[in-house]
Amino acid sequence: MSVKRIGVLTSGGDAPGMNACVRSVVRTALYHGIECYGIRRGWNGLITGDVLRLDEKKISHIINRGGTILYTARSKEFLSEEGQKKAVSTCKFLGLDGIVAIGGDGTFMGARALTLKGVPCIGIPGTIDNDIASTSHTIGYDTALNTIMDMVDRVRDTTESHDRCSVIEVMGRNAGFLALNAGIAVGATCILVPEIDYDIDSYIIERMKRTMTTGKHHFIIIVAEGVKGVEVGSLAKYIEEKTGVESRATVLGHVQRGGSPSVRDRVIASKMGYHAVQLLKQDIGNRVVAIDHAEIVDYDIIEALNMKKTIDPELYKIANEISI
Ligand code: F6P
């Protein structure tokens, strides 16, 4: 079958670089004589028929923009059989021969369901969390890391000026990739990630007291949002009580998801978008595009969803040895 028209959507939490990926999908498709439709608000757009034709003009000047011009959503309706049937009939009505879906694991489950119903779909990993096992890097991760580094550097200026301790919560849902790597980049004294259990007294309080003997009086503690039983406000109070160091809590929040994508995210997004269209052109669906360090690869969606990835224990060891 020759592929004439495809759709592209973004789903789940937005991530910087999604627009660069949409642009790459559209540009690659047009280059090969394939029409491209943008589907708005993730899978919801396929259910309601909220689509727009994407031409060269519609996707110009978006490579540098954060967020997603297609909007995004986490569609509940698409999880149901009925929702998926509606999506298939929209695809048939519009003559869509395939879909590129940019998002996380939930998005890939949707891509698999639709492929099994006869519409080939390709998933592309887009999330700041980097918690997708099949790929070494997700679109948005590098930008978010740089944003966190920049924000924490600013917090450090005031933390140091007041001889304080700043306890800073970063995103990452249940994964510690953002916390660990950003923590190293900002020279954090302690980094708490969901993958590791802690004893607060020995890991934070003892370490801070030891550090104070070197003459240092300001501290940055990075906490991943998914660390069980830790709330940064209460942790800051506890630290102040136990060490006498005045402490403040900062939740970085959604600032981490915004902003212009980094070089790395723009390039990865462009390569992944290109690769996805090459697969659809051959009428191949049910694949996840990934990057294995520098090489672009693809996997069966179920194989990709069953993969496991965790923080690098060696990196964690390094972080703890070089921080005081
Ligand atoms: O998955 C990306 C992410 O930003 C997570 O780090 C965070 O836990 C979640 O999304 C927040 O989601 P929402 O924007 O719906 O609050």
Side-chain angles (χ1 to χ4, degrees):
M1 175 184 111
S2 97
V3 173
K4 295 195 179 61
R5 188 176 291 162
I6 62 169
V8 57
L9 60 85
T10 51
S11 171
D14 64 322
M18 280 183 164
N19 282 328
C21 192
V22 169
R23 172 182 177 272
S24 171
V25 168
V26 177
R27 285 265 162 93
T28 309
L30 295 179
Y31 182 88
H32 292 281
I34 300 169
E35 280 180 7
C36 200
Y37 276 71
I39 298 152
R40 289 199 189 95
R41 298 181 176 82
W43 298 111
N44 283 340
L46 265 193
I47 295 172
T48 59
D50 186 6
V51 300
L52 77 160
R53 172 103 179 262
L54 293 174
D55 55 18
E56 285 290 354
K57 192 157 180 336
K58 293 254 170 38
I59 48 105
S60 75
H61 209 71
I62 65 167
I63 196 165
N64 54 330
R65 281 173 59 188
T68 161
I69 60 157
L70 296 178
Y71 303 90
T72 186
R74 299 183 175 106
S75 174
K76 287 215 174 73
E77 199 182 347
F78 191 72
L79 297 175
S80 69
E81 182 67 21
E82 205 186 319
Q84 290 170 11
K85 278 190 181 150
K86 279 191 202 160
V88 172
S89 46
T90 307
C91 290
K92 297 269 176 290
F93 176 75
L94 293 170
L96 297 179
D97 301 315
I99 306 280
V100 178
I102 309 163
D105 284 346
T107 310
F108 301 162
M109 288 302 290
R112 175 176 153 77
L114 214 60
T115 305
L116 293 178
K117 288 189 161 42
V119 183
C121 295
I122 305 294
I124 294 185
T127 165
I128 64 163
D129 298 351
N130 201 35
D131 61 347
I132 296 177
S134 52
T135 190
S136 51
H137 282 81
T138 55
I139 295 169
Y141 174 54
D142 184 64
T143 308
L145 277 177
N146 281 289
T147 303
I148 296 171
M149 183 179 72
D150 185 40
M151 295 296 134
V152 177
D153 282 351
R154 288 163 194 250
V155 175
R156 176 187 282 279
D157 290 342
T158 167
T159 305
E160 188 169 353
S161 305
H162 286 264
D163 287 323
R164 280 179 177 162
C165 171
S166 280
V167 182
I168 303 173
E169 181 188 295
V170 302
M171 277 187 171
R173 207 181 290 269
N174 297 314
F177 300 105
L178 284 171
L180 177 56
N181 286 277
I184 291 176
V186 300
T189 301
C190 301
I191 304 167
L192 276 69
V193 294
E195 292 85 350
I196 293 176
D197 291 331
Y198 299 92
D199 173 60
I200 299 292
D201 287 321
S202 59
Y203 183 57
I204 301 183
I205 309 299
E206 291 310 313
R207 181 183 282 262
M208 280 179 65
K209 285 184 176 162
R210 222 174 27 247
T211 299
M212 281 191 265
T213 63
T214 70
K216 182 173 165 179
H217 297 290
H218 65 277
F219 303 87
I220 299 288
I221 313 286
I222 298 288
V223 182
E225 62 175 336
V227 176
K228 297 238 161 28
V230 174
E231 188 278 311
V232 287
S234 316
L235 180 58
K237 279 199 190 104
Y238 185 73
I239 290 172
E240 187 164 320
E241 260 167 47
K242 291 280 175 176
T243 62
V245 177
E246 201 180 9
S247 300
R248 294 285 187 271
T250 303
V251 177
L252 286 186
H254 286 78
V255 70
Q256 296 163 93
R257 285 230 301 255
S260 180
S262 65
V263 171
R264 186 164 197 194
D265 278 333
R266 293 183 199 195
V267 173
I268 288 174
S270 301
K271 286 165 88 171
M272 287 181 172
Y274 173 87
H275 191 85
V277 177
Q278 302 306 320
L279 291 170
L280 283 183
K281 248 181 72 189
Q282 300 165 65
D283 210 17
I284 295 172
N286 200 32
R287 307 291 290 176
V288 169
V289 177
I291 187 160
D292 184 357
H293 299 97
E295 194 193 351
I296 298 288
V297 291
D298 56 89
Y299 303 103
D300 172 86
I301 289 184
I302 289 295
E303 187 190 351
L305 290 175
N306 284 333
M307 289 179 182
K308 299 270 175 280
K309 172 165 103 173
T310 190
I311 54 159
D312 177 1
E314 182 62 19
L315 191 60
Y316 194 73
K317 183 169 168 275
I318 294 172
N320 283 315
E321 286 189 17
I322 64 175
S323 62
I324 55 167

